[in-house]
Amino acid sequence: MVADMCVSIKAGSSDYLEKHPERRISFSQNFYIIGVTFAAGIGGLLFGYDTGVISGALLYIKDDFEVVKNSSFLQELIVAMALIGAIFGAAIGGYINDSLGRKAATIVADICFAVGSLLITVAPNPTLIIVGRFFVGLGVGFASITAPMYIAEVSPSEIRGGLVSVNCLMITTGQFLSFVINYGLTRVPGTWRWMLGIAGTPAVIQLVLMVFLPESPRWLYLKNRKEEATNVLSRIYPSPRLEDEIDILEAHMEQEQKDKVKVKYSDVFKLKEIRVAFICGAGLQAFQQLTGISVIMYYSPTIIQLAGFKSNESALFLSLIVSAINAGGTIIGIYLIDIVGRKKLTLSSLIGVVGSLILLSASCYVRGHGNPSLVYGWLAVAGLALYIIFFAPGMGPVPWAVNTEIYPEEFRGICGGMSATINWVGSVIMSISFLSFVDAIGLGESFMLLLAVACVAIVFVIFYMPETKGLTFEEVSNIWKEKAYGKDKNIESMVEQAST
């Protein structure tokens, strides 16, 4: 079986397209894949909107509820409750994805989004806002694991990174729309209710679209629903590549089923190659948050006010510009991720983040220590913008893209879910502690802590992250087996090149 497996990998490997360039699929050749990607990406849109909208809505919640205005803890709790919900959603979502499929997980996410939005819209007190934010967070958690996984599994390997990054574009577009809507509703009665409640609409739209979307072909094949899987694959790949893709999928699933006999589902992390892969995936997710993206996106209006721009309207307008840069940077990432590669893109992103945090922390430190000049306020805004310019193309999409690639099909849901849970735990830590750190040590000093973490992240990527650009799922799987157990002479040379 090992020999057969290696032959199949060669037939469906990344150098297969070099031998048969006419079988390569581009973005513009298959509108079916694009349609499925954007329909699934509505989950990313909701993810982005619901995590971004709170930064502006919080300014008006404080105006309506004096108890919130007087308590940094309540402000942090309102922000963080969606993230706490996301932790549970990502963890549970992994099991639902593996057992019931990607469609079922998406439907559950849409229901949570709709229920949470309704509760917030009618909330008479901060308590119900917090409950509604938890339900929204459950939806965010489900969407964060399901949408990129689903997109990856319907994508040809040569454009997989770009298509998964489309989901990140949907996330940043949702965040941008949240700032647009926040700014547009500043003078509307019941401002924050409209800001937070409007998210129910796209959730209902996606719920309807799910009737027409196919299930992941790889999940169908895993569940022995091979005829359904072949029907979906036939809409993605033309013949003769279709037959080759089915052959490689058949061989790989047979191997994974053999592996499953050796380990119980609950003992998945006892497999050394999965532990090694998980350290990489979870590490990237952790560093995505611990380098400060949640702080920048959730508290950018507050940071801008602390930098000297006091009015709500000015803070929201400048935050809108920062969010627009985030969306634009993600578009650049979609273009670069399958050309430059995941590792180089991540390193260049982190180096830029370090530079921007130096500017941001220095300007905030000077202003916070006796120099009220608005020049330093503008330098802080420039630091925010530069942070997003460098973060968005690399550290934004790459952790999500890599986590859809590095786990075996049988355990992709649980491993991806646990990795996403690490992301949300990091997001909770950052969002619930940032204002308290600012109160305790100052704004500039708080950004210096993020700067130190970003430097550690660069070291992690250099020594631990392999390059997965253009590789099939099967080749990526072999990278981790090689790292875990040493080189295997039967593994193709392309895998050896990718792991260096």
Side-chain angles (χ1 to χ4, degrees):
M1 170 59 75
V2 173
D4 292 341
M5 184 65 180
C6 293
V7 171
S8 296
I9 289 176
K10 185 174 182 180
S13 65
S14 50
D15 62 353
Y16 167 81
L17 294 174
E18 295 179 7
K19 298 174 183 177
H20 303 283
E22 73 282 359
R23 298 178 187 177
R24 184 179 295 273
I25 296 174
S26 67
F27 284 100
S28 60
Q29 283 180 315
N30 194 319
F31 291 105
Y32 175 75
I33 301 174
I34 300 299
V36 170
T37 297
F38 276 96
I42 293 176
L45 185 77
L46 288 164
F47 171 176
Y49 183 85
D50 279 308
T51 54
V53 71
I54 192 63
S55 62
L58 187 61
L59 301 177
Y60 295 92
I61 292 174
K62 290 190 293 184
D63 290 342
D64 278 6
F65 298 105
E66 190 71 21
V67 64
V68 176
K69 185 176 183 179
N70 294 331
S71 172
S72 292
F73 174 75
L74 272 181
Q75 294 173 41
E76 291 171 335
L77 187 61
I78 290 172
V79 172
M81 187 52 64
L83 309 178
I84 294 171
I87 292 173
F88 287 95
I92 299 169
Y95 288 99
I96 292 179
N97 271 280
D98 282 341
S99 58
L100 301 180
R102 313 333 183 199
K103 286 185 68 172
T106 303
I107 290 170
V108 173
D110 290 332
I111 293 172
C112 290
F113 279 125
V115 171
S117 298
L118 180 62
L119 289 175
I120 293 170
T121 301
V122 301
N125 53 55
T127 301
L128 198 56
I129 294 174
I130 292 169
V131 173
R133 290 281 293 166
F134 180 78
F135 274 95
V136 165
L138 286 175
V140 168
F142 281 119
S144 69
I145 173 67
T146 305
M149 185 189 307
Y150 177 59
I151 293 169
E153 291 180 350
V154 299
S155 301
S157 60
E158 62 269 31
I159 56 173
R160 184 176 63 232
L163 288 174
V164 173
S165 296
V166 167
N167 183 64
C168 293
L169 175 61
M170 297 292 276
I171 294 172
T172 56
T173 299
Q175 291 170 337
F176 174 68
L177 287 175
S178 73
F179 282 100
V180 171
I181 290 172
N182 282 352
Y183 187 69
L185 293 175
T186 53
R187 300 185 185 280
V188 175
T191 301
W192 62 267
R193 296 182 189 276
W194 286 101
M195 290 176 175
L196 295 169
I198 201 171
T201 302
V204 173
I205 292 173
Q206 187 180 50
L207 195 59
V208 173
L209 288 176
M210 289 311 299
V211 176
F212 305 100
L213 287 179
E215 182 54 84
S216 160
R218 298 184 72 91
W219 185 85
L220 289 170
Y221 221 94
L222 182 66
K223 299 301 180 181
N224 207 32
R225 293 160 61 177
K226 297 182 180 180
E227 184 176 348
E228 294 176 66
T230 301
N231 288 337
V232 178
L233 288 169
S234 67
R235 303 186 70 176
I236 300 171
Y237 301 104
S239 184
R241 184 173 174 183
L242 172 63
E243 289 75 17
D244 292 337
E245 293 289 342
I246 292 174
D247 288 343
I248 181 64
L249 186 57
E250 176 73 28
H252 190 65
M253 291 304 174
E254 286 181 8
Q255 185 64 39
E256 287 198 356
Q257 288 295 340
K258 278 189 65 177
D259 292 342
K260 185 182 178 184
V261 175
K262 303 174 186 177
V263 61
K264 296 179 181 179
Y265 190 82
S266 59
D267 295 332
V268 57
F269 290 106
K270 291 183 179 180
L271 290 173
K272 188 176 180 181
E273 66 267 31
I274 293 182
R275 291 203 308 272
V276 174
F278 183 77
I279 290 171
C280 176
L284 287 172
Q285 294 283 34
F287 281 120
Q288 185 190 66
Q289 291 301 327
L290 298 180
T291 51
I293 187 59
S294 289
V295 167
I296 300 299
M297 296 311 299
Y298 298 158
Y299 292 112
S300 57
T302 302
I303 292 169
I304 290 169
Q305 286 185 330
L306 290 172
F309 302 88
K310 296 302 183 183
S311 75
N312 288 352
E313 289 81 2
S314 296
L316 286 176
F317 180 73
L318 291 172
S319 298
L320 174 62
I321 295 174
V322 171
S323 184
I325 294 171
N326 192 24
T330 306
I331 294 174
I332 296 173
I334 292 173
Y335 175 75
L336 292 177
I337 193 169
D338 286 318
I339 297 175
V340 176
R342 283 68 158 150
K343 187 168 186 174
K344 290 180 181 177
L345 189 59
T346 304
L347 283 173
S348 60
S349 176
L350 283 169
I351 291 170
V353 164
V354 166
S356 62
L357 285 174
I358 291 173
L359 175 61
L360 186 56
S361 59
S363 57
C364 291
Y365 180 85
V366 171
R367 182 172 174 80
H369 287 75
N371 194 326
S373 173
L374 199 56
V375 170
Y376 294 105
W378 282 109
L379 286 174
V381 172
L384 285 176
L386 286 172
Y387 177 97
I388 294 297
I389 287 170
F390 286 107
F391 187 98
M395 280 301 289
V398 169
W400 298 106
V402 169
N403 272 276
T404 65
E405 299 173 326
I406 61 177
Y407 306 120
E409 179 69 30
E410 181 65 29
F411 305 115
R412 189 167 295 144
I414 183 175
C415 293
M418 293 304 296
S419 183
T421 300
I422 296 295
N423 184 293
W424 291 114
V425 169
S427 187
V428 168
I429 291 171
M430 300 304 293
S431 63
I432 204 167
S433 63
F434 178 70
L435 293 181
S436 298
F437 266 97
V438 171
D439 290 342
I441 64 174
L443 185 60
E445 292 85 344
S446 299
F447 284 123
M448 290 177 189
L449 294 178
L450 301 183
L451 172 60
V453 174
C455 292
V456 176
I458 290 175
V459 176
F460 176 84
V461 171
I462 290 173
F463 289 102
Y464 208 86
M465 178 184 174
E467 181 55 73
T468 58
K469 179 187 74 172
L471 300 184
T472 64
F473 286 116
E474 292 72 31
E475 288 175 317
V476 175
S477 176
N478 282 328
I479 290 176
W480 303 113
K481 289 177 181 178
E482 184 177 302
K483 283 181 175 291
Y485 305 113
K487 290 186 180 294
D488 186 330
K489 63 182 179 181
N490 290 319
I491 294 176
E492 287 294 307
S493 60
M494 177 59 71
V495 178
E496 295 180 7
Q497 294 171 15
S499 61
T500 58

